[in-house]
Every structure is written in C-alpha cells, then in structure tokens.
Amino acid sequence: MADYPDGFLWGVATSALQVEGVRGREPSVWDTFAARPGAIADGSTPAIACDSVTRIEDDLALLGDLGATAYRFSVSWPRVEASGLGYYDRLVDGLLARGVAPMATLFHWDTPQHVEDEGGWRSSATASLFAEYAGAVAAHLGDRVTHWVTINEPREVTMLGHALGVHAPGHHLGFDALPVAHELLRAHGLATRAIRAATVAGSAAIGLALSHSPVTAATDDEADRQAADLFDLLNHRLFADPILLGGYPAEIAELMPTTDLDAVAEPIDFLGLNYYNPTRVAAPGSEAATSTIDGVDVGGVGDALPFAFVPVEAPVTDLGWPIVPRGLADQLRILRERYPGALPPLIITENGAALADDRRRIAFLEDHLGALREAIAAGADVRGYLHWSLLDNWEWAEGFGPRFGLVAVDPLTQERTPKPSFAWLRDHIAAAVALRGRPPAP
Ligand code: BGC
C-alpha cells in the first residue's frame, strides 16, 4: 500500500447537529424546521441525536480504537452562544491525548434560530456575526486545533435550504437564493481572516468543504449538454470559482453581489472535497427525468428547475444515490483540469453511504479508496480521507432512517456497537500508518 502519501490523515467526520443533542445549546434552524409537520421523513427531531454531548468518552474511545489520525467534528454556533466552549475543550483535549488531529468545522448548517430571525443568510449582517464567532472559537481552541473548516457545503445550504426549501430554514426562494451563496462565501472569507488573526501563523491549516461530483449530460443533444453545464455552473463553479479564481463565472457574474470578493478569495491551505455521487442531467421535460434529486423527492419544486435529473446507471444506496467509486477519481481530475495552478492540496472531508447492509459499506470503502489511490498515483495532491460517518446519526430531513455509520447507535440506550466496516477501516488505517507513518504530532 505504498500509494498514500506520508503522514496522510485518516479518520471520520461528523457534525454537531447530527450527533450532539440539544442539551446545553440554544435552538438552531434545524430544531424549528424539524417541528414542521412533514418536514422530516420519520417525524423525528435532533433533540437527542446520538447524545454525543454526554457520550463524549464513548466517542473518543471509538476514535482511539479506530486508530484515527484525524477527526472532523463541527462546533455548534448555538452551543457556543449558550454555554461556551467547554464541550469542545474536552473533545479536543481527548483527541490530542489519543494522537488524533482535531479538524473543526465552524458551520455545518446549524444557524442559531435568533440569527435566522434577523434574516439569517439572507442578510448581509450574518457573515460578520459568523466571522466574530469564528475568531472567538479560534482564539480559544487555536492552540490545539490543527485544521479549520469554515463552512460545510455552502451549495447545500443555498440550494436545499433556501432555493428549494427541503432543508432548514425551509425557504423557497428559487433563483432569488443566489445572494445566499454569496453571503456564505463572504462568511467563509471573513472567517478565514478572523481565524488567521486569532491564531499563530502556520499553527493550523484553514479551508472549507465543498461537495463536488462529476456532472454528465444524459445525451449528446445540445439541450441536454446545456442543462448539464448550467447544473455544474450553479452547483460547483458558483462556489469554487470565487474562492480559487477570485470571481464568479462570467456566465453568472452579473447576477451576483460583489462585496468582499477579495476576502472570499483569501488563500486557503486546503480544499475539503465531499464526494458522494455523480449526477446525470437532461433538459427540463426530458422523458427519462425523475422527480428526485439524489434520491430525495423534491415534490413539485423540481419541475420549475432549468434542468432535470436522469438516473445514473449504477447500484444505489438506501437513499437511492448511485455508487460510483470512479467518480471520486474523475472529480479529482476535473478539479485539477479546471483550476490549474490555483488548486490547494485536497482533503476528502466526507465520503460515505447510507447502507443498512454493512457488507456493502466494506465494498464501498474498498472501491472508493482504490479510486483514491489511483487518483493519487495520477498526480492528485490529496492529504487525507475522512469517512462519513463515525455513527449512525440524524440524517437531516431523512431523520434516523439512513445508516451512514461505521458504528450502530441504539436509538433507546444510545449504546454504540462497531460494525464490521469499522474493523475493516481500522485495519486499513493500521496498514497505511505502518507503511507511511502518522501525520506530524499536532
Ligand atoms: C453533509 C452531511 C450529510 C451527508 C450525507 C453531506 O452533504 O455534509 O452532513 O449527513 O452529506 O447526506
């Protein structure tokens, strides 16, 4: 296994809202959204989630047993506001005691409800509030955190939360959600500066996590190709271009605000890539189109979109998402081709699948890590792989149904039981670390 670079980061990713539970924090937009009848598939709420806020020692023990060299968790803005950073102090110290590098995401979708009430990401005030919070967290944890992820997946917050309304805060703004993308990018840029100002230069790497995956046209027809390009533009280039190239793609620049574009383009130390599945796009009204996006039925809203979705021919996860390991290598190639000279080192900050049958997760891991090694051999500069996710957790609008975890969680007792895939990844990490070493001690 000579094919991972020296000191590669190995581990898992989680997010605060999906695992912590509500104790000790104020309400977030997801608590409010989950209370809407019909918003969450199984009618559940994130009130308990995996109770990680009380089960912290269990989670730390699991990370130790996995042999993880990094753990990507998220800091809950509404928890920090309500009860400070005590929980994260304990988490970070527990990680360091086990030789695990702490990678802290500062925003993984859980906007405090009172911030939303003042306009949330529709207001230009929120990015500054977020940067203040980011600076305060960095000032406190900056002596120990090795990697900062400012924002997780601004595209999902924009598209699912504000354009289509299928995620919190549940707005149906359609194309009027475009300024939300800009505010999230501003928040990333201003937070990057705030973290740099609050920490010792070079003490940590700063980046953000974008979900990117290959987009193909359903056919060679001009209309399908145009629809695929538009989808790629709105879902990928809209977010990555201003960060890596300093401006919005020409095709959309006129529609986008321009405030603080210099901050948005603040250099980052790594780009987090969340890879799930490729998308096949057709022109609206195409006969082969489905009414779902990545297996999620978006009801009537999909009909108003300027593109339609066509199933990718591949086995699917329990959520109906196609499993295409090759897509990870393809995406790494696309990024290098699209941003030559502008692409920082990459970390796979998420990759995983909703699978009740854990044997399929082992195959998923084997195949995706195989594709990753191929991409690295072909020249991709990838510095780590963080599997989504450690635990079966609260999967947003899908509730507790989908099983993304290497570890099962009993919904009544919260007892954690590692699955065979946990042992598989533990052995894979051990072999890779034996050959290539651990990352330098944090
Ligand atoms: C998100 C995670 C989520 C995962 C699976 C990513 O978009 O960052 O929070 O659980 O996908 O849906």
Side-chain angles (χ1 to χ4, degrees), residues 14-15 18 72 108-109 152-153 156 160 167 211 274 276 319 321 350 352 354 388-389 393-396 404:
T14 61
S15 91
Q18 294 176 275
R72 176 175 175 232
H108 200 126
W109 306 358
N152 180 70
E153 296 184 349
E156 277 65 10
L160 303 178
H167 273 192
S211 57
N274 293 354
Y276 285 92
L319 281 173
W321 301 3
E350 286 181 32
W388 187 271
S389 184
N393 59 32
W394 195 71
E395 174 56 25
W396 308 111
F404 275 92

Side-chain angles (χ1 to χ4, degrees), residues 188 192 196 206-208 243-244 264-272 344-345:
H188 154 73
T192 300
R196 289 217 164 104
I206 307 175
L208 84 169
I243 292 168
L244 299 176
V264 176
E266 189 71 25
I268 49 176
D269 303 305
F270 69 94
L271 177 64

